[in-house]
Amino acid sequence: MSESILDPACVDPTFDSRAVSFENTTGARGAGGTACGGRKGSPSRRLAAGERVVLADLAGPGVVRHIWMTFPPAPPERMRALLLEVFYDDAEQPSVSVPCLDFFGLPHGRPVAYHSALFAVNEGRGFNCTLPLPFRRRIRIEFVNASRRPTLLYYQIDYTLQPHLAASQGLLHASFRRENPTRLREDFTIVDGLRGPGRFLGCVVGVRVIDRAAWYGEGEVKIYRDGDEAHPTICGTGLEDYVGSAWGLDAHFTPLGGAPLVVRAPAEAGVPPNPNPDFVGFYRWHLPDPVMFSSALRVTIQQIGAMFFRAGEQSEIARYERSNPPAGSGWQRDVKPPLIAWGLAERVDDYCATAFVYCLEPQAVPRSDVATVVADIERRPYESTRRDDTQIGVIEPSAS
């Protein structure tokens, strides 16, 4: 692959630029938009419940350079049941198997507008990926409507065919995991089991906050590489710190990290709003800080929060400790009123993650289980059902 191809002034006619869509499913030269005399005859397809469709089946070598798709708004459990799978060469098992929205950076089946260095969800409804997907012999990209209702799908995949790929070009692997709920004192695994050489590009993580009385995000992200056992080579300082924020986590996005999805109940009259959301989704891309591994990789995140106790809540400390053992250095009692103590505590929440890893050799990842994917993400009573609830980073309550 030419290292200068991303230079907009680069001219290299050995790159054969192609595209596939429902207007040209093979990507053949001179075959785009032939339906209805070239007057927009088949830009989309209606997919029945349970239907699987091949979006691209391409012979290499080449690189998928842009994926765009859209589908109508729907309840979260239906949106999240739309799955994306990618197969390399003639493999029967996928190397990418994730819910579509999670692939584009948004867990919990709730689209919102955001953009990063690799993905953009324009106006909350145009899903774009510019993450490269190199392929040597063959790539097959499939879309599955695993929901119980039909859906309409539009898409376009832009790619280049080229004489060869550099030996250092990895193949994208993306896997989805969820623990609902997690287990006390057992860190949630973001990714494990892929063989190197490879590169951990980053992840999209979703949390359904179960204990909303306490701050949920003190857990450290740990990256174990090539023989690390009890302790990792790379260890962060907290969930919001891994994203690049601090002192809490609210809706924001940047090229390399952010939390575009925050779903929080509205405040009741005369009562301050709960600072902890029902759902949060965040991402982190390791572009300028690459995470390479030679043989093995494991990435985890702890479930640790912070709890604060005020005057009159002395008995609550012991009660809380029975279900949430102290973490770190335990309860801190040298505090200013009205606090009487605070500290880090182990906790249990609902975590999911999509990990993005490039490996030199194609490997299978676990297939997304639809029942696991869609459980417990139904729209909350306070969430708006208006179409424009996908236009903003924080999903606000309905005005009705």
Side-chain angles (χ1 to χ4, degrees), residues 95-99 102-103 172-178 189-192 194 202-204 352-357 364-368:
S95 294
V96 172
S97 182
V98 296
D102 293 70
F103 180 82
L172 180 66
H173 294 68
S175 58
F176 176 84
R177 292 171 179 257
R178 185 179 184 186
T189 297
I190 293 173
V191 65
D192 191 13
L194 290 172
C203 55
V204 173
C352 64
T354 295
F356 296 81
V357 182
V365 300
R367 300 194 94 149
S368 296

Side-chain angles (χ1 to χ4, degrees), residues 262-285:
V262 177
V263 183
R264 179 181 290 115
E268 299 179 9
V271 179
N274 191 318
N276 294 309
D278 282 310
F279 298 95
V280 64
F282 62 89
Y283 64 92
R284 172 73 155 84
W285 307 129

Side-chain angles (χ1 to χ4, degrees), residues 67-381:
I67 300 174
W68 167 84
M69 63 177 59
T70 190
F71 23 77
E77 62 272 21
R78 284 170 50 194
M79 293 288 274
R80 207 183 201 190
L82 307 177
L83 309 179
L84 187 70
E85 294 195 326
V86 177
F87 304 77
Y88 295 113
D89 302 334
D90 297 316
E92 295 183 358
Q93 297 299 316
S95 294
V96 172
S97 182
V98 296
C100 275
L101 264 64
D102 293 70
F103 180 82
F104 289 102
L106 296 171
H108 310 306
R110 290 163 165 83
V112 295
Y114 92 101
H115 63 269
S116 73
L118 303 174
F119 296 91
V121 182
N122 296 336
E123 299 184 87
R125 55 184 180 264
F127 301 91
N128 293 268
C129 166
T130 52
L131 190 64
L133 279 73
F135 55 100
R136 291 188 170 82
R137 290 200 292 113
R138 184 186 177 199
I139 189 172
R140 190 172 82 255
I141 303 175
E142 299 185 357
F143 179 97
V144 185
N145 176 18
S147 76
R148 298 180 180 180
R149 299 286 296 275
T151 191
L152 192 67
L153 173 65
Y154 295 76
Y155 84 98
Q156 180 170 323
I157 296 174
D158 301 293
Y159 64 100
T160 55
L161 301 178
Q162 50 209 69
H164 61 86
L165 295 178
S168 60
Q169 285 283 285
L171 306 179
L172 180 66
H173 294 68
S175 58
F176 176 84
R177 292 171 179 257
R178 185 179 184 186
E179 287 186 6
N180 177 22
T182 56
R183 294 177 292 275
L184 197 66
R185 291 183 180 270
E186 294 185 24
D187 300 352
F188 172 70
T189 297
I190 293 173
V191 65
D192 191 13
L194 290 172
R195 302 184 308 275
R199 173 180 181 174
F200 175 58
L201 187 67
C203 55
V204 173
V205 177
V207 184
R208 181 174 66 90
V209 180
I210 293 177
D211 176 7
R212 293 177 61 246
W215 161 242
Y216 63 94
E218 290 298 328
E220 298 171 337
V221 173
K222 298 177 181 290
I223 301 178
Y224 300 79
R225 301 171 48 246
D226 301 332
D228 292 345
E229 294 183 0
H231 299 285
T233 295
I234 300 171
C235 180
T237 60
L239 181 154
E240 81 274 45
D241 308 334
Y242 179 64
V243 176
S245 188
W247 308 111
L249 190 64
D250 216 329
H252 72 286
F253 50 86
T254 74
L256 302 177
L261 179 70
V262 177
V263 183
R264 179 181 290 115
E268 299 179 9
V271 179
N274 191 318
N276 294 309
D278 282 310
F279 298 95
V280 64
F282 62 89
Y283 64 92
R284 172 73 155 84
W285 307 129
H286 294 273
L287 291 175
D289 55 337
V291 178
M292 305 293 184
F293 62 100
S294 297
S295 58
L297 168 77
R298 180 164 60 97
V299 182
T300 66
I301 183 170
Q302 297 169 319
Q303 285 65 65
I304 295 176
M307 188 62 174
F308 300 84
F309 299 95
R310 292 168 174 78
E313 297 179 339
Q314 287 85 349
S315 62
E316 290 297 307
I317 299 177
R319 183 198 62 79
Y320 191 79
E321 188 172 318
R322 286 195 292 271
S323 59
N324 299 79
S329 56
W331 305 119
Q332 309 299 310
R333 299 179 186 270
D334 183 17
V335 295
K336 295 181 179 179
L339 290 180
I340 58 172
W342 79 278
L344 304 181
E346 305 285 348
R347 56 183 289 135
V348 166
D349 287 296
D350 173 4
Y351 268 69
C352 64
T354 295
F356 296 81
V357 182
Y358 283 98
C359 299
L360 292 187
E361 298 299 328
Q363 300 163 55
V365 300
R367 300 194 94 149
S368 296
D369 173 72
V370 177
T372 299
V373 165
V374 303
D376 300 320
I377 62 168
E378 295 83 1
R379 186 178 280 136
R380 296 298 187 254

Side-chain angles (χ1 to χ4, degrees), residues 7 16 31 34 227 301 321 384:
D7 178 355
D16 184 1
T34 58
I301 183 170
E321 188 172 318
S384 171

Side-chain angles (χ1 to χ4, degrees), residues 373-394:
V373 165
V374 303
D376 300 320
I377 62 168
E378 295 83 1
R379 186 178 280 136
R380 296 298 187 254
Y382 59 82
E383 289 185 80
S384 171
T385 60
R386 298 171 299 172
R387 181 180 176 84
D388 64 358
D389 69 2
T390 62
Q391 308 304 306
I392 52 180
V394 180

